[in-house]
């Protein structure tokens, strides 16, 4: 029901039931059994398998008399093709449940495998418009248990799977409430295998999820939807998402430096995993906007940069780094929409009072965090030059689903300005 002026006055909060703590992964089989799964597809990638985590998960599952098969070819930054390969295995295998073990890419691949095997259709039919058909799954999917091994995407808590479509040079997603994992097991012990560069990129993604959600346009400034089915998953900031986002900002400021510095700092890495899940719940409700809208073309237009410290066979810009590079300029631009929220976000990350803030305060706090965790300086490092701004803007504008919840309207000129300021952040 809308208010007299047609504005929204409802918000929803949906969260994945979650089990958190060192050693929690030991409950994997038990969790899957109580979800009623008899035959599971375990979706992972070669690195997680090599670390022995996937095989341990298999042991725990089979110990509960549940059959399972491992698919270990999930690709970091999945493409429509790599998702199709997993989905084909999912359809043929006649599984009645799924387990995504690894970073966001593994969990996202598990989500799409579940989607396509439950409601068979072309992957592109499900992709968000205007790139895909925006088809909605007609009923809930088969049970999916998410077991993250990085601290970033928060995919265990969100209803989105992100994919790259290289032919169209665009990165986009499939989003629907039924895509949200049914349960998650978040075990800090599993984050020991995360390389430091992954901890840096993934951790900065967490901070951006939380910061973008926290300053997002308030939900009650949106037009009310004509029907409940049209209420977007990204609703704008609201009193409940604020709680999750604020705590994630605090943990990001307090623990990310340590988590990157020392692989064995399980306490810091655990808090970053928790921050990732908290931020996932926050942005799963409020949503992300300008830095994420810019990150998709940044990550998909040029495939020529190989990230240092990543064990990968292809050139790509890790998601968190593709997001963080435009965040200082984005928040400098959005500051005037709500100075107090930008001040508070900076204060939460910094962990100490900031009495006065201007448009540079939050950007400065983010830049110092980027420097501390070895993030790239800006988009020039990825191979972009001034002449590329036009195509980057075009790519960002395709992410209307995100841009609509920006606290300050960002059209082509504003996005060009933000990207121009993002070549070097220091
Ligand atoms: Fe992200």
């Amino acid at each position: 029901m809308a208010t007299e002026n047609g504005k929204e006055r409802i918000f929803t909060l949906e969260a994945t039931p979650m089990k958190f703590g060192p050693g929690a992964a030991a409950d994997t089989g038990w969790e899957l059994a109580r979800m009623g799964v008899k035959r599971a597809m375990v979706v992972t990638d070669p690195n997680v398998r090599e670390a022995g985590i996937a095989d341990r998960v298999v042991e725990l599952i089979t110990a509960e008399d549940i059959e399972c098969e491992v698919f270990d070819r999930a690709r970091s930054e999945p493409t429509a093709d790599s998702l199709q390969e997993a989905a084909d295995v999912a359809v043929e295998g006649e599984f009645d449940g799924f387990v995504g073990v690894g970073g966001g890419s593994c969990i996202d691949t598990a989500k799409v495998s579940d989607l396509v095997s439950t409601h068979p259709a072309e992957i592109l039919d499900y992709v968000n418009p205007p790139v895909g058909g925006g088809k909605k799954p007609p009923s809930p999917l088969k049970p999916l248990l998410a077991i993250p091994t990085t601290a970033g995407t928060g995919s265990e808590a969100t209803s989105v799977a992100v994919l790259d479509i290289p032919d169209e040079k665009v990165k986009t997603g499939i989003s629907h409430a039924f895509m949200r994992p049914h349960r998650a097991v978040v075990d800090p012990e599993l984050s020991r295998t995360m390389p430091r560069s992954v901890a840096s990129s993934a951790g900065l993604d967490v901070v951006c999820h939380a910061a973008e959600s926290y300053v997002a346009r308030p939900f009650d400034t949106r037009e009310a939807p004509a029907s409940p089915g049209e209420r977007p998953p990204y609703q704008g900031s609201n009193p409940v998402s604020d709680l999750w986002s604020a705590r994630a900002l605090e943990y990001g400021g307090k623990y990310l430096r340590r988590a990157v510095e020392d692989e064995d700092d399980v306490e810091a890495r655990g808090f970053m995993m928790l921050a990732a899940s908290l931020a996932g719940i926050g942005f799963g409700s409020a949503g992300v906007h300008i830095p994420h809208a810019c990150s998709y073309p940044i990550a998909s237009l040029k495939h020529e940069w190989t990230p240092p410290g990543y064990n990968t066979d292809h050139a790509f810009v890790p998601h968190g780094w593709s997001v963080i590079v435009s965040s200082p300029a984005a928040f400098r631009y959005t500051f005037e929409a709500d100075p107090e929220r930008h001040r508070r976000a900076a204060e939460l990350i910094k962990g100490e009072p900031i009495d006065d803030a201007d448009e540079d305060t939050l950007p400065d706090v983010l830049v110092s965090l980027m420097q501390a965790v070895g993030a790239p300086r800006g988009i020039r490092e990825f191979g972009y030059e001034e002449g590329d701004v036009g195509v980057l803007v075009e790519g960002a504008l395709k992410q209307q689903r995100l841009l609509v919840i920006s606290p300050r309207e960002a059209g082509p000129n504003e996005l060009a300005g933000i990207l121009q300021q993002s070549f070097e952040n220091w």
Side-chain angles (χ1 to χ4, degrees):
M1 193 171 47
T3 48
E4 275 167 24
N5 61 8
K7 295 295 184 205
E8 176 73 284
R9 55 179 194 177
I10 295 168
F11 65 89
T12 61
L13 180 85
E14 293 177 32
T16 305
M18 200 174 293
K19 179 176 268 187
F20 175 87
D27 294 358
T28 299
W30 185 83
E31 289 289 348
L32 214 52
R34 73 182 181 131
M35 290 161 84
V37 176
K38 301 269 186 296
R39 182 172 157 71
M41 175 171 171
V42 176
V43 180
T44 189
D45 69 20
N47 294 330
V48 176
R49 186 141 208 203
E50 207 170 292
I53 296 173
D55 292 329
R56 189 169 150 243
V57 161
V58 168
E59 268 172 41
L60 292 162
I61 294 173
T62 48
E64 293 286 334
D65 290 328
I66 299 169
E67 280 179 44
C68 74
E69 265 178 40
V70 179
F71 174 84
D72 65 4
R73 297 191 297 282
R75 179 185 154 104
S76 45
E77 317 294 306
T79 60
D81 290 345
S82 79
L83 292 173
Q84 189 64 56
E85 188 193 350
D88 289 345
V89 172
V91 170
E92 272 163 36
E94 297 182 349
F95 302 101
D96 64 358
F98 293 82
V99 183
V101 192
S105 306
C106 297
I107 296 171
D108 284 2
T109 302
K111 287 178 180 175
V112 176
S113 302
D114 190 357
L115 171 68
V116 174
S117 84
T118 310
H119 299 297
E122 294 296 319
I123 287 175
L124 261 180
D125 289 349
Y126 285 116
V127 169
N128 295 323
V131 179
K135 181 180 161 73
K136 294 179 173 147
S139 62
L141 311 186
K142 294 169 192 167
L144 166 60
L145 176 67
I147 310 177
T149 61
T150 62
T153 62
S155 179
E156 65 279 7
T158 71
S159 56
V160 189
V162 177
L163 71 153
D164 197 13
I165 302 178
D167 294 349
E168 297 187 36
K169 296 201 174 226
V170 64
K171 212 172 160 185
T172 178
I174 299 176
S175 50
H176 189 276
F178 292 154
M179 299 275 285
R180 192 186 313 279
H182 295 66
R183 305 197 78 82
V185 169
V186 183
D187 184 344
E189 297 283 352
L190 301 183
S191 69
R192 275 183 205 272
T193 56
M194 176 168 60
R196 294 171 58 187
S197 49
V198 179
S200 162
S201 174
L204 291 169
D205 189 28
V206 172
V207 172
C208 268
H209 290 157
E212 288 175 58
S213 297
Y214 194 73
V215 305
R217 171 182 175 175
F219 77 100
D220 56 3
T221 63
R222 274 186 13 251
E223 295 301 311
S227 70
E230 289 162 67
R231 181 166 288 117
Y234 287 174
Q235 306 163 73
S237 59
N238 58 70
V240 179
S241 67
D242 285 350
L243 290 174
W244 302 90
S245 307
R247 183 53 62 89
L249 286 171
E250 197 184 316
Y251 286 169
K254 197 166 174 190
Y255 296 107
L256 180 57
R257 288 174 176 82
R258 274 173 53 190
V260 172
E261 224 161 76
D262 180 2
E263 279 134 332
D264 292 319
D265 191 338
V266 174
E267 183 193 42
R269 287 189 163 204
F271 273 107
M272 282 312 298
M273 278 185 127
L274 190 54
S277 302
L278 301 179
I281 297 169
F283 91 84
S285 166
V288 288
H289 41 89
I290 299 175
H292 271 76
C294 293
S295 82
Y296 294 132
I298 289 171
S300 61
L301 281 175
K302 289 207 176 173
H303 287 269
E304 55 187 46
W305 190 71
T306 306
Y310 270 70
N311 186 9
T312 175
D313 59 359
H314 56 277
F316 75 104
V317 181
H319 172 68
W321 285 343
S322 73
V323 174
I324 196 73
V325 285
S326 72
S327 68
F331 293 126
R332 196 173 294 120
Y333 171 71
T334 56
F335 176 79
E336 69 168 51
D338 193 335
E340 169 53 20
R341 276 185 178 260
H342 286 69
R343 184 200 64 79
R344 180 67 183 138
E347 188 173 73
L348 285 162
I349 298 171
K350 210 167 178 203
E352 56 187 56
I354 299 176
D355 294 331
D356 289 316
D358 60 22
E359 69 270 24
D360 290 322
T361 307
L362 180 55
D364 288 348
V365 167
L366 289 169
V367 164
S368 91
L369 188 57
M370 289 166 74
Q371 290 171 327
V373 299
R377 289 174 70 196
I379 61 174
R380 197 181 304 284
E381 225 167 285
F382 305 142
Y384 291 101
E385 286 163 15
E386 277 74 2
D388 298 318
V389 167
V391 278
L392 288 169
V393 167
E394 222 175 276
L397 284 170
K398 286 184 188 162
Q399 309 295 334
Q400 283 306 320
R401 187 177 66 90
L402 309 186
L403 291 173
V404 291
I405 60 133
S406 167
R408 191 179 168 197
E409 212 175 308
N413 294 337
E414 292 76 23
L415 292 170
I418 289 165
L419 286 158
Q420 263 146 11
Q421 288 175 46
S422 304
F423 278 98
E424 279 107 12
N425 282 295
W426 63 88

